[in-house]
Amino acid sequence: MTDAKDERRPAGELEASVLAALWAAGAPQTPGQVQLSLGADLARTTVTTILTRLHGKGVVDRRRQGRGYAYLPVRDVQDAQGLTARRMHSELDRDSDRETVLARFVAQLGPDDERVLRTLLESDGR
């Protein structure tokens, strides 16, 4: 029988939770502070690993605080949608043939998503 705390969370759920804690704090937070605000059964080392990965992805900045770091979200990633958009840009930047990547992305969109994308492009919805 599997214990509930041993079950794996969906990909990105922990990152989103950690980012939500940083946004809610409104000031740089240490891994220990993030751990406390999450109120979950997460080890501080797990929170530190997530913050380090988010820093590597350019989603959070960090500032030296004592022997460790305090983390804060970067300005253009203010919510879960901002994080998703940042990931999409990162993936696009990994390939030198952007046109083909974008063409294949658009080809896989459903009619509703295609309609939204057209509306955004026509209105310059940045």
Side-chain angles (χ1 to χ4, degrees), residues 79-108:
D79 52 22
Q81 293 79 14
L83 176 59
T84 301
R86 176 78 124 184
R87 285 182 186 152
M88 292 168 70
H89 276 283
S90 294
E91 289 300 318
L92 185 59
D93 289 343
R94 290 182 188 189
D95 198 300
S96 60
D97 189 358
R98 294 173 77 94
E99 184 176 344
T100 300
V101 172
L102 286 168
R104 289 187 180 169
F105 174 77
V106 171
Q108 295 175 10

Side-chain angles (χ1 to χ4, degrees), residues 9 21 28 34-35 50 55 67 86-87 91 94 100 109:
R9 292 176 173 91
V34 173
Q35 177 194 24
I50 294 165
H55 180 260
R67 292 185 298 169
R86 176 78 124 184
R87 285 182 186 152
E91 289 300 318
R94 290 182 188 189
T100 300
L109 291 175

Side-chain angles (χ1 to χ4, degrees), residues 14-55:
L14 278 177
E15 286 184 356
S17 296
V18 167
L19 275 171
L22 289 175
W23 293 320
Q29 299 287 293
T30 65
Q33 291 170 318
V34 173
Q35 177 194 24
L36 285 173
S37 68
L38 291 175
D41 290 333
L42 290 175
R44 191 181 56 75
T45 54
T46 300
V47 175
T48 301
T49 298
I50 294 165
L51 287 165
T52 301
R53 288 180 182 164
L54 290 170
H55 180 260

Side-chain angles (χ1 to χ4, degrees), residues 2-9 41-42:
T2 328
D3 204 342
K5 71 177 186 178
D6 293 333
E7 292 180 20
R8 288 191 101 21
R9 292 176 173 91
D41 290 333
L42 290 175

Side-chain angles (χ1 to χ4, degrees), residues 71-83:
Y71 295 83
L72 65 157
V74 296
R75 257 189 259 156
D76 67 335
V77 181
Q78 295 298 316
D79 52 22
Q81 293 79 14
L83 176 59

